[in-house]
Structure formats: C-alpha cells, structure tokens
C-alpha cells in the first residue's frame, strides 16, 4: 500500500509550487467532501474505504506541508482531536422551543380543529419522524459551518462545535451557491442502533457499565471533552428546520428539499421518512405506517411530528412560550407486553459482576420472541417489587435485550413471596459483596470462579486485546475445563503436545494456536494493558494510561493524584487501577507476562536507535523511497519529534521533491540543516 500511496503522492505532488499545492488541496477537499456526502448522506458510496483513506492521507500530508492553507472546515478535521475543557454557553438567536405532545387520534383531531379556527383556509401538513436524540442548532456563514449549539434551556445552550464537526453527515462546507449568506439549521443528533449495541458490547467486555439507551449516549457523547472519542462514536443526524432571514421558499417542505441540495442530511421522501398530507386521514396513514415499521429503522424514534407547511400560516399560528402552535408531536407508546415471570437467573461476568436476568414465558414483542429480559441489579428488583409467578410488563427500546418495566398487579396471585436476592455466587458459592454506593453485587473469588477465569482469558485473547488467532470461546472453555490454563499467563507456557490429545484439536489447529500465542508477544503495550482486564479500563482508557505512564512499572506505582491528573481519568477508574496493582496475584501475573516477552512499555524505545532523540524535525516535499507518513513514523521511532512548520526550534529538515521555496529560504535564514531522504536513512541507521 505504501508504494501505491507513494506513487500517487509523487505523481500528483511532482514539483509542486505553492499555487499548485493550494489548487490540489482545494480539489482534494472537494473530492473528499463529495465522497463523504455520498457515503453518509446518500448512503451510496462510490469508492472503497481504502481509496477514501488514501485521498484523506494525501490531503493530510499536503496540509502539513502547506500550513498556510489551513482550514478549520477541512475534511481532515473530522477525526477530531481538539479537547474542550469547558463548553461555552451562548445565547440562541431564535429561541429553541419544544413541541406539545398528543397520544391519540382524538387528541390530534382536536389539535387540527383548534388551529383551523386560527387559519380557516386549507392547510397542508408535513409529517416527519420524531428522532430520539439531542437537538442541535447549527449556524452556517458563507457556506461554512460556523457554530453548533445544544438546546440548553431554550434561550441559551452549549457551544459544541468541535464535537459536531466530527459527525460525518453534518456538512462542514455547503454544496452549490444558492444558500443564504447566514442561516441556522436545526435538527437532531442521534446514535445508530447497530453502533450503539456494538459500543455496549465492547463496554461490557471491558467490564464497564453498559449505556442505558442510544438517546442518553448521544447527548452524553456530544458533551465529551475529547473530540477524537466523539469521532469514533456512531453519531448521525437529520435536519428538520431552517431559520433564515433571507427567503428560501414559502414552505417548510421545499426548504427541506433545498437544504438537501446544499448537502444536509434531511429525511428522504423516497424512504417515506417525510411526507405531505392534507387532512387527518393522510396524517394517520403516515403515523400508522411508522407505528408498524419503526422497528425496521436503523435508529430510534419516539413518535411523529406534524408541521403546518406554509410559512405564512405558521406565522399566523405563532407560538406559546414553550412550543409553536404550527407543529405537534404524536408519541407512540413504547411497545409493551405482559407475560409470566418464571424465574430469575444470575449471570457472573468476567469482572465478577452479577447480573440478574428474568426468565419469561415466551411472548411476541416488536417482531421478535422474547424469553429473557434484563433486570440490572438488586435495587431494580426491589423497586419493581418483583415476585416469581407475577405477570410483568416487558418493553423493548433500542437495546437487544428487552427490559422488565413493571408488574401487572391485577394479575398477581395470592401468596407470592418477594424475590430474595442471592447472597452466594451461583457458580462458586463464594459470599457476594457489594461496595458502598454501587448497585452491582460482585463475586470476589476472581482467581477461583470459573466464569471469571474464562471471561478474563476470553477478554485477553479477544480481537481488540491480544488478538490471538486460532483461539475462541470454545477453546478457552476447553483449556480451562482441562485444567491447562487458569490465567492468561498460562497460555504462554502451553506446548503443542499438551493440545494434541484434546478433543477436536487437529495438528494444524494446535499449531495455529501456538503460533497465535507467540505472535501476540508483539502486541503493543496499550493493548496488553487493555487485555489485563482492569475494571473500567476500556480500550480508550488503556490508550490514555499507556501514553501517559509509558510503561507498566510507572503505572503500577502511580498514586491516586497522579492517575486523576490524566485526561478523562476520574476517581472511579483511578481507584480500580490502584486496587488492581495492590493485589499480589495481579502483580505476579504482570511479572509472568513480562517474563514471557509481552510488551510492557510504549513502542518508541523498542527498536529505534534514538539517533534523533531531542530533535525537532520538519519534513517537506515528497520522497522516492518513503511515504511522508513512513518518514513521520521513523522520526518518532528514533526519538525525534515531527512538526509542521519551520521555526527557531527546528533542528533538521528532511527535504524531498518540491520543497516550497519560501520554506527553503526560511530554513536557510535560520541556519537549519536540510538533508535528503538518503542522508536521513543513513542518520537513522547509524
Ligand atoms: S421540529 C419548534 N421535528 O423533538 C420545534 N423536532 O419535543 C421544532 N425532534 O426539541 C422542532 N424530531 O429535538 C422537530 N422531525 C422533528 C423532530 C423534532 C425530533 C425533537 C427536537 C425537539 C423535540 C421536541
């Protein structure tokens, strides 16, 4: 791939002067934006992810080379990186109102009659989905995204521009030219269900608490300080209202379609996400259609919004202090069924957390048969006053597992006893513990409780951790049951001869496993740290800790104060790290893993020569034998620091074809040494 990228850059960069570079940067931005739009807005990509990344990288390289053409709305900014400590509160130019709700056909009919008194002539209505996320108001000036603000209290909200810019379906720059010079567009940011479920699965695997629902997760994500985490979360948008002093169209529907042409993700009529209607029946056709089909949508909705289409009529209807009279929400009741609670079972996770699960008489709900439902913890069971033999109401939200939300008291037979929560681990009979202020019970027998042992090893070998090829849940089960492994370090002592007698393990599979285990010794430290399965230390936290402390020894002796000083690390995580390393068994585990050759420090010192230690190096132009990214990586690997522009701090410039004359002059004026790629290769060799 590198030579491909390299050729491409060489071919396109050639002897590029400033003017050509500017032209190329603009072209690449436009091209990348068009692909972004096709992928995220139209859902119709025309190039592969690989090709997209290649173009993006080319733009990144050029932008680093020519920082004078920096643009806060460049597609390269989508990956985030900016940290916002405190979001600024800013006033809304137009108040952000909410909607009044209706729950039945009668209520909706009453509403239509009420407004017909104020607007006696014919009215057309626009029906839309009511997306269940967080409201956002985005201001564009001269076609550029300028500011994105949360609803807040309706008169002022938080400026979350840096985070919103990472959401790929929100355009940073508009298409065409016939948009108003300045306008605000409002809409909803929400999380896609598939991504939400995947995120939760990863969190549970990392021993973190699952997020409750996609809506809270979306609004929580939008308020995160680190925009690069926001960029990784599956957020999407639909825009639903344009506010502009300039006239765009005389009605809402047309404005939406205009906004679509400017590149916004507005509900597509062809998917029936938006439709016009002229009366109650037409509106109800839309409502009924989505009541039946809403479970097929890739995101959650909690109803439908009906809007008067003509702006002139909207104005005549006006607003109350809280909501406009020209729009109303029709809310769906969450789909519920009542069924028999047969029993409660208790699952033990890899961190020892106990999760109670309701076993139900199978029942059809929102298109699937439900047999089990989550009960969360002991408090929840007590709050619901659950008893075995009760009929319970079960509801399905965006989560895979439905929830028990209440008891049908009318159906409760006489003589049922309240559920007594278990006091001993269902797997190893150890007395359970529950920490002050925590909802969850835990089994403290982490070294002897089978699901904890298996869970920890499974987590250790998983793809995002040590990624041991050839192994899976079944092999872990087998190895633990056969007494071959009790903890992750035991894997590294395995011999092929021990595996061969095992059921279902052919010579080739056994060899694959041994090879996979051997190869995992090269996995970088941050993933080893994640693989250790410290409670609350997920992938991102592991990355942050690894970067900050650089090796396991410094992390193991870090104090609470030192831990919480790390970005995004709070007391809960810090305490978990402290108690992990306070445990002798864990320290032994780390020592054994180290002895087997696993990476216990961040990479840079591992095979670099340190020939560039302490040097600040600028790279310029394009190269024959390396891509720019390769040179950057090499600089870091050998202890140097790569920066974008030449300054008094620059020690060295690695120059390739097409180094800009202004840069060369500046370097010469400052007396900075300029070397070519061959000299660079010599330098790091020596
Ligand atoms: S129009 C003046 N349209 O529902 C009110 N709102 O309960 C303009 N919402 O805060 C809102 N989907 O966040 C509108 N298609 C849609 C919507 C929608 C979701 C949210 C919005 C608003 C809340 C009101």
């Amino acid at each position: 791939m590198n030579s491909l990228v390299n050729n491409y850059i060489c071919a396109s960069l050639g002897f590029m002067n400033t003017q050509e570079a500017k032209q190329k940067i603009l072209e690449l931005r436009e091209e990348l934006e068009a692909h972004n739009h096709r992928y995220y807005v139209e859902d119709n990509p025309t190039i592969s992810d690989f090709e997209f990344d290649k173009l993006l990288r080319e733009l990144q390289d050029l932008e680093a080379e020519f920082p004078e053409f920096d643009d806060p709305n460049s597609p390269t900014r989508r990956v985030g990186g900016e940290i916002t400590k405190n979001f600024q509160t800013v006033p809304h130019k137009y108040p952000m109102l909410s909607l009044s709700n209706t729950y039945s056909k009668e209520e909706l009919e009453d509403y239509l009659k009420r407004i017909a008194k104020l607007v006696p002539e014919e009215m057309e209505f626009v029906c839309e989905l009511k997306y269940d996320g967080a409201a956002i108001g985005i201001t564009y000036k001269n076609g550029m995204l300028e500011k994105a603000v949360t609803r807040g209290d309706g008169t002022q909200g938080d400026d979350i521009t840096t985070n919103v810019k990472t959401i790929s379906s929100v355009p940073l720059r508009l298409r065409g030219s016939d948009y108003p010079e300045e306008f605000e567009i409002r809409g909803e940011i929400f999380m896609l269900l598939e991504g939400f479920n995947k995120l939760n699965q990863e969190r549970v695997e990392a021993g973190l608490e699952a997020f409750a629902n996609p809506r809270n997760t979306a609004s929580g994500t939008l308020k995160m300080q680190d925009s690069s985490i926001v960029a990784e979360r599956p957020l999407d948008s639909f825009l639903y209202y344009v506010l502009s002093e300039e006239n765009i169209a005389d009605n809402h529907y047309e404005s939406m379609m205009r906004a679509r042409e400017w590149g916004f993700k507005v509900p597509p009529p062809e998917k029936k996400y938006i439709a016009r209607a002229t009366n109650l029946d037409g509106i109800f056709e839309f409502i009924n259609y989505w009541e039946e089909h809403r479970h097929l949508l890739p995101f959650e909705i909690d109803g439908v919004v009906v809007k008067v289409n003509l702006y002139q009529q909207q104005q005549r209807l006006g607003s109350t202090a809280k909501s406009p009279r020209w729009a109303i929400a029709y809310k769906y009741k969450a789909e519920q069924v009542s069924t028999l609670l047969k029993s409660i079972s208790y699952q033990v996770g890899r961190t020892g957390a106990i999760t109670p699960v309701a076993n139900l008489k199978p029942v059809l709900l929102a298109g699937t048969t439900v047999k089990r439902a989550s009960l969360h913890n002991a408090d929840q069971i007590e709050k619901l006053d659950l008893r075995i033999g009760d009929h319970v109401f079960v509801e399905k939200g965006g989560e895979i597992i439905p929830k028990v939300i209440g008891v049908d008291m009318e159906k409760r037979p006489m003589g049922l006893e309240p559920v007594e929560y278990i006091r001993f681990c269902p797997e190893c009979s150890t007395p359970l513990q529950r920490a002050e202020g925590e909802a969850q019970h835990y089994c403290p027998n982490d070294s002897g409780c089978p699901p904890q042992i298996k869970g920890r090893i499974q987590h250790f070998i998983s793809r995002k951790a040590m990624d041991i090829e050839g192994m899976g849940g079944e092999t872990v089960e087998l190895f633990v049951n056969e007494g071959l492994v009790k903890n992750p370090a035991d894997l590294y002592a395995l011999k092929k001869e021990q595996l061969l007698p095992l059921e279902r393990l052919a010579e080739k599979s056994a060899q694959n496993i041994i090879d996979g285990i051997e190869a995992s010794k090269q996995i970088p430290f941050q993933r080893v740290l994640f693989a250790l399965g410290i409670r609350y230390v997920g992938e991102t936290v592991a990355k942050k800790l690894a970067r900050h402390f650089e090796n396991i020894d410094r992390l193991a002796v870090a104090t609470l104060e030192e831990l919480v000083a790390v970005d995004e690390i709070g007391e809960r995580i810090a305490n978990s790290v402290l108690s992990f390393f306070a445990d002798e068994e864990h320290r032994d585990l780390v020592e054994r893993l180290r002895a087997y050759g696993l990476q216990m420090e961040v990479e840079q010192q591992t095979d670099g020569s340190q020939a560039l230690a302490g040097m600040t190096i600028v790279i310029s132009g394009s190269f024959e034998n390396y891509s720019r990214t390769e040179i950057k990586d090499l600089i870091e690997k050998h202890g140097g620091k790569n920066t974008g522009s030449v300054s008094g701090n620059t020690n060295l410039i690695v120059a390739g074809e097409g180094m800009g004359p202004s840069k060369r002059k500046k370097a010469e004026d400052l007396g900075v040494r300029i070397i070519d790629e061959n000299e660079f290769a010599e330098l790091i060799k020596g």
Side-chain angles (χ1 to χ4, degrees), residues 470-502:
M471 281 191 73
E474 275 178 29
T475 22
V476 172
E477 185 90 25
L478 190 65
F479 290 1
V480 175
N481 291 347
E482 292 289 329
L484 288 176
V485 287
K486 285 198 301 299
N487 75 38
D490 296 336
L491 291 171
Y492 294 88
L494 286 176
K495 301 262 175 305
K496 194 161 88 178
E497 300 70 55
Q498 292 173 284
L499 308 187
L500 287 175
L502 300 179

Side-chain angles (χ1 to χ4, degrees), residues 97-99 128-131 134-135 151 188 240 305 307 324 326:
L97 302 177
S98 64
L99 292 168
E128 291 171 23
L129 302 176
K130 190 169 187 307
Y131 322 104
R151 183 169 124 78
E188 199 85 349
Y240 54 59
V305 182
K307 298 173 183 174
W326 49 261

